[in-house]
Amino acid sequence: MGLARVQKVLIAVHRSEQDRLLALLQDEGILHLVQSETVPLPTAPIGGEAFSVEQIGDAINYLESFETKRGGLLKGLAESKLVVNQTELERIVLSYDGEKKIKKLKELRQKIQDIESKEKTISADLTLLIPWQKLDYDFSEIYSTQLIEMVLGLFPEKEDLTKFQTAIAELPIHLEIINQTERIYCLIAFPATMSNEAKAILMSHHFEIVDFSNLKGKPEVLIQQLKRRQKELVEQRTELIEESKNLLAEIPKLKILYDYYLNLHRRQTIGQILPGTDSVTFIEGWVKWQDLKRLEKILTQSEIAVMERIEPNPGEVPPVALQNRKFFRPFEIVLDMYGMPAHFEIDPTPLLTPWFLIFFALCLADVGYGILLTLISLLLLKKFGADNKLLKVFAISGVVTILAGAITGGWFGNIVDKLGLSFLVTLRNQLLLFDPIQNPMPFFLLSIALGYLQILFGILIEIYDSFRQDNAGGALFEQLPWFLLLNSIVGIFLTGRYIPLTYKPAFIFISLLAGATIIIFTRRSQETIFTQTLLFLIVFSGLLTLASQKGLLPLIFHNTQYLAGAGFLILVAWTFQEWFKSKKITGVVIFSLFILSTLLYFAIRLPLIIPILLGTLFIFSEPMNRKNLKKIVWGLYTLYGASSYIGLILSYIRLMALGMSGAGIAMAINTIAWMVIKIPVLGIILAVIILIFGHIYNLGVNILGAFVHTLRLQYVEFFPRFFTGGGVRFMPFRWENKYVQVK
């Protein structure tokens, strides 16, 4: 459960050996460099090359745009890196003419972009010209007349046209309607001498003038020319696309080139930002303890490099390195999506793994779906590489889902009953523990019980972690009381049904002890520990007395009132000596009234509550005790928060809800299939199609729901019990490949 131990080191190397040492460190991948946390992507050529990493990436993206697309979840699962050995990688880098290919691809892309730009322009021109297709005039004729002026334009509404026609009825203005759709396209002619008057009338009727003075020829001819040009551009673009597709085989080599130069750039950039002198470079970083000897061995390859173990700078946080066994490593993906633990915490991966598997399995709870999930995950792992954590999680979860489906009777819903195969029915019944469809209560109770147990498990982890960090106070006074309180309350409710009644007083005693501890000691300080202890004695003894008087505890606990009284008097005496130091007049008055009421209690049996109230008032009039009062109020508020555990535990009912909803949909799919199977000839084919696609859809939806809700239970209900997070991931300086996996 512990994180890998890391050590900070300082390496000094001669400038002449800097590049060689960085290359060795990058190959080994064991040193987390302090200086390499942010290295920008190169935008300029490096190492004397005529191209940059960015240009290689652009070329890859351009070619991949012509590949057959995978979408959705399949794309995320199926994406894998190109596997290549070191020798092949070096051969391709040295022999491949990347400059030529990148230049060619850049030219093709630029030509396609130019053609697409021209196509957009032509498309816009056609949109503008097509409404004027019926105009039987050359545009040059319209704009070349001297005595008569003609304008082209449109009226937005028919009402505008009607009003305009009325307005020019007595004027020498000619109107010709060219086209009429939602808007009316018109040619207007009038004497050049009344140009201003005519245009003013047009504008007053919302006429929009369209200017074609830059065009020559009739609209229909121009449209035909544009369409021919558009067709030519489409053909050119198609040829260029085909030429680009012929270069798809270059993608693997370009990817190798990209990763190689990306890592080369990173190494060169780090070399430029490392501190040092004119002759010495200093490399500061972190290394796992088990890798210290490997690092020392690397340095021995250079005669002018030395290493020293150093202490972190004040406030510097060590990086966090997860260290799990092979089975648990895939489940590190849960932390990858949430955040790394703080450097002083434990790694929760092996702790959450069994819960994750159980919850995921119960959300699916179907033997058939478990088998399919396992097989699909294994096939994808085999085809796309075995380093995909998500696929491994699904493969393991699928196996556990088979078990969950067996105990709940889910076999592709109720397909076993529909098929009527006796040996499958017998097997199903032998493995069945409860049928959630017929009797959901066991599933409900199981979900609640699992939620309760996981929350308790989280508290136990925090208790252990507190002791591990030498925080015994936090373990004993903050986490342990909650563990005892929750279990004792459950024990009280279960006595008489599942637990003998003789244990009930013990559960009540433990609950009162835990409650008093939470109230008094949730917030503690060294200066108030004595008075807090007395307050705890008073509160706990008082609660025991009250419980005894109510018949909840044996009568022997009734005598604890004397223990509470003794603690009360000791606290009053301590407060008196504190008051004596300050000699505040308020304390004199209250203390005098307390003494008087106490004497009257013994003399004339004055009600006991009066001296208790006056003594309490005197106690909390002292400044130090007023701090305790704030702590008690906070403790009461914290204890009130116990009600939130009800909501937390009820949140786990989603396990039952998802499991039953998936089973219900599966049964509905089977029912529909058996309904259509009665159709002559096509019935069986339709039923098979419904079964295949219906169950695949249901499986996909339920996998997503099971994964998301299982993550939610870990993040929202489980992690807050013990997990702080916020750690910096241990990221050693190594080959960071985006596309390639080097053997």
Side-chain angles (χ1 to χ4, degrees):
M1 291 189 296
L3 302 172
R5 188 179 177 188
V6 293
Q7 172 66 52
K8 191 175 184 183
V9 296
L10 177 64
I11 299 172
V13 61
H14 195 271
R15 288 282 183 186
S16 61
E17 284 287 298
Q18 172 188 305
D19 293 339
R20 180 169 174 269
L21 179 59
L22 284 175
L24 290 171
L25 292 173
Q26 191 174 30
D27 289 340
E28 287 294 323
I30 59 174
L31 184 65
H32 175 104
L33 295 178
V34 173
Q35 296 90 349
S36 65
E37 293 179 356
T38 55
V39 178
L41 183 71
T43 55
I46 60 173
E49 297 294 338
F51 51 83
S52 68
V53 175
E54 186 180 39
Q55 290 171 339
I56 303 173
D58 290 342
I60 293 171
N61 293 333
Y62 170 70
L63 285 177
E64 285 185 335
S65 66
F66 300 112
E67 286 187 321
T68 303
K69 296 290 188 294
R70 294 190 193 95
L73 181 63
L74 182 61
K75 179 181 179 182
L77 295 177
E79 284 183 346
S80 61
K81 294 182 178 180
L82 176 67
V83 180
V84 62
N85 59 50
Q86 185 69 32
T87 304
E88 181 69 9
L89 182 143
E90 293 174 356
R91 185 190 66 79
I92 291 174
V93 170
L94 293 175
S95 62
Y96 182 61
D97 191 355
E99 178 184 352
K100 181 179 179 181
K101 298 299 180 184
I102 292 170
K103 184 178 179 181
K104 177 65 175 176
L105 289 168
K106 186 177 180 180
E107 291 174 355
L108 289 172
R109 182 175 58 178
Q110 186 61 52
K111 288 179 180 179
I112 291 175
Q113 289 175 347
D114 292 342
I115 289 174
E116 289 175 345
S117 177
K118 292 176 181 178
E119 285 179 320
K120 289 180 181 178
T121 302
I122 291 175
S123 179
D125 290 343
L126 285 172
T127 302
L128 192 63
L129 279 172
I130 285 175
W132 302 96
Q133 189 169 3
K134 297 179 181 178
L135 179 67
D136 195 24
Y137 297 98
D138 190 307
F139 284 125
S140 60
E141 296 175 354
I142 293 175
Y143 294 102
S144 62
T145 58
Q146 296 181 354
L147 298 178
I148 302 296
E149 183 174 350
M150 291 184 284
V151 295
L152 298 171
L154 55 93
F155 289 100
E157 303 287 344
K158 188 174 182 179
E159 184 181 356
D160 296 322
L161 173 63
T162 303
K163 291 180 179 179
F164 175 74
Q165 289 174 325
T166 303
I168 64 171
E170 304 296 331
L171 297 175
I173 297 176
H174 172 73
L175 180 146
E176 182 180 345
I177 298 176
I178 307 301
N179 191 12
Q180 187 169 349
T181 55
E182 295 179 355
R183 299 185 289 182
I184 301 95
Y185 297 83
C186 303
L187 169 66
I188 310 293
F190 46 83
T193 54
M194 61 176 303
S195 174
N196 293 334
E197 180 184 357
K199 289 180 179 178
I201 297 173
L202 287 169
M203 294 303 104
S204 65
H205 290 85
H206 308 109
F207 185 76
E208 300 175 16
I209 296 176
V210 181
D211 185 11
F212 290 111
S213 58
N214 61 327
L215 298 179
K216 294 181 179 180
K218 293 183 178 181
E220 186 174 5
V221 175
L222 293 174
I223 289 171
Q224 294 303 319
Q225 292 174 353
L226 288 173
K227 286 184 176 179
R228 284 195 297 271
R229 179 56 179 158
Q230 189 180 49
K231 184 179 179 181
E232 292 173 0
L233 290 174
V234 170
E235 292 174 352
Q236 292 176 19
R237 179 163 55 84
T238 302
E239 291 176 1
L240 291 171
I241 290 175
E242 288 301 317
E243 189 176 354
S244 299
K245 287 182 178 180
N246 291 333
L247 294 172
L248 284 173
E250 304 298 323
I251 291 179
K253 295 178 182 178
L254 288 172
K255 287 183 175 180
I256 290 173
L257 215 62
Y258 179 93
D259 281 351
Y260 176 82
Y261 283 105
L262 178 65
N263 284 282
L264 178 61
H265 162 81
R266 187 164 180 244
R267 188 168 73 230
Q268 291 181 351
T269 303
I270 289 173
Q272 294 170 2
I273 64 175
L274 288 173
T277 64
D278 292 338
S279 57
V280 179
T281 298
F282 297 107
I283 303 174
E284 195 175 4
W286 298 84
V287 63
K288 297 178 185 178
W289 268 71
Q290 62 264 35
D291 292 330
L292 277 169
K293 290 185 178 180
R294 288 176 61 191
L295 181 58
E296 292 171 354
K297 186 177 180 180
I298 293 171
L299 296 178
T300 58
Q301 299 180 38
S302 173
E303 296 180 357
I304 42 180
V306 293
M307 180 189 77
E308 182 179 352
R309 302 181 188 185
I310 61 175
E311 294 297 321
N313 298 324
E316 185 177 11
V317 178
V320 174
L322 302 181
Q323 186 173 267
N324 290 299
R325 295 183 182 274
K326 186 176 181 180
F327 176 80
F328 297 110
R329 285 174 199 157
F331 295 90
E332 291 175 358
I333 192 173
V334 178
L335 287 184
D336 292 340
M337 292 186 286
Y338 185 83
M340 300 300 291
H343 69 281
F344 53 81
E345 291 186 302
I346 60 177
D347 178 6
T349 304
L351 303 173
L352 66 85
T353 298
W355 299 105
F356 185 97
L357 289 173
I358 293 171
F359 295 164
F360 186 96
L362 289 176
C363 288
L364 280 183
D366 192 285
V367 174
Y369 289 174
I371 294 172
L372 280 180
L373 178 59
T374 303
L375 292 177
I376 292 171
S377 300
L378 292 175
L379 288 173
L380 290 175
L381 280 170
K382 184 177 180 180
K383 184 175 181 180
F384 299 106
D387 59 344
N388 192 304
K389 290 182 179 180
L390 183 60
L391 286 175
K392 288 183 178 179
V393 168
F394 282 154
I396 300 171
S397 300
V399 175
V400 184
T401 299
I402 296 172
L403 301 176
I407 66 174
T408 57
W411 297 66
F412 287 111
N414 61 344
I415 197 76
V416 172
D417 295 324
K418 294 291 184 181
L419 292 173
L421 299 176
S422 58
F423 74 95
L424 284 178
V425 174
T426 302
L427 178 62
R428 193 272 310 273
N429 293 337
Q430 288 176 343
L431 298 174
L432 180 66
L433 291 183
F434 63 89
D435 186 344
I437 302 299
Q438 300 296 327
N439 182 17
M441 188 53 66
F443 208 168
F444 174 83
L445 294 176
L446 177 62
S447 301
I448 294 294
L450 287 171
Y452 176 71
L453 290 175
Q454 190 183 37
I455 289 173
L456 288 183
F457 184 60
I459 296 174
L460 285 175
I461 295 171
E462 183 63 13
I463 292 173
Y464 163 79
D465 201 31
S466 296
F467 278 118
R468 190 180 64 87
Q469 298 178 41
D470 297 325
N471 182 19
L476 295 175
F477 296 110
E478 294 178 25
Q479 289 89 43
L480 182 59
W482 280 108
F483 182 81
L484 296 175
L485 180 64
L486 293 175
N487 282 290
S488 60
I489 291 175
V490 172
I492 291 170
F493 280 105
L494 294 180
T495 50
R497 299 182 62 185
Y498 303 101
I499 301 175
L501 280 171
T502 53
Y503 289 95
K504 189 171 185 177
F507 288 133
I508 294 174
F509 178 87
I510 294 172
S511 64
L512 295 178
L513 173 64
T517 305
I518 292 169
I519 293 171
I520 303 300
F521 290 118
T522 293
R523 287 194 170 182
R524 306 171 307 283
S525 61
Q526 191 65 35
E527 61 178 350
T528 61
I529 191 63
F530 175 72
T531 52
Q532 280 186 281
T533 303
L534 290 174
L535 287 169
F536 172 77
L537 180 65
I538 295 167
V539 172
F540 182 47
S541 301
L543 290 173
L544 291 177
T545 301
L546 183 62
S548 176
Q549 291 174 349
K550 298 296 183 181
L552 300 175
L553 289 176
L555 291 176
I556 189 173
F557 287 104
H558 188 69
N559 295 325
T560 54
Q561 61 182 325
Y562 300 111
L563 191 60
F568 184 77
L569 292 175
I570 293 172
L571 187 56
V572 169
W574 181 88
T575 306
F576 178 78
Q577 63 92 20
E578 289 295 317
W579 163 80
F580 190 77
K581 295 176 183 177
S582 61
K583 297 182 180 179
K584 291 183 178 180
I585 189 64
T586 307
V588 177
V589 175
I590 300 174
F591 183 72
S592 299
L593 291 174
F594 167 70
I595 295 297
L596 177 61
S597 63
T598 303
L599 294 173
L600 290 175
Y601 166 73
F602 287 105
I604 61 173
R605 307 304 297 175
L606 186 73
L608 181 61
I609 189 65
I610 294 176
I612 290 176
L613 289 175
L614 289 170
T616 303
L617 185 61
F618 174 67
I619 289 170
F620 290 113
S621 67
E622 198 278 324
M624 187 67 72
N625 284 332
R626 280 202 290 272
K627 294 181 181 179
N628 285 332
L629 182 60
K630 294 178 182 178
K631 293 173 182 176
I632 291 172
V633 172
W634 181 257
L636 288 169
Y637 175 77
T638 304
L639 186 63
Y640 171 76
S643 59
S644 65
Y645 281 96
I646 298 175
L648 293 178
I649 295 171
L650 290 177
S651 180
Y652 287 80
I653 297 176
R654 71 186 65 242
L655 300 176
M656 179 192 73
L658 288 169
M660 293 184 63
S661 63
I665 295 173
M667 293 171 65
I669 293 169
N670 296 337
T671 301
I672 295 171
W674 254 256
M675 289 172 61
V676 302
I677 204 172
K678 299 175 183 179
I679 300 174
V681 184
L682 294 176
I684 295 178
I685 298 175
L686 290 174
V688 171
I689 293 173
I690 291 171
L691 288 173
I692 292 175
F693 288 98
H695 284 297
I696 288 176
Y697 170 79
N698 193 31
L699 174 62
V701 171
N702 280 279
I703 287 174
L704 180 61
F707 187 72
V708 170
H709 285 281
T710 300
L711 285 180
R712 184 200 177 280
L713 290 175
Q714 309 308 314
Y715 294 159
V716 179
E717 325 299 352
F718 186 46
F719 277 8
R721 309 278 79 76
F722 65 93
F723 190 75
T724 302
V728 178
R729 183 184 298 276
F730 181 85
M731 299 181 67
F733 174 54
R734 59 187 175 189
W735 286 83
E736 298 287 348
N737 295 331
K738 181 178 179 181
Y739 298 111
V740 180
Q741 179 183 342
V742 183
K743 284 188 177 181

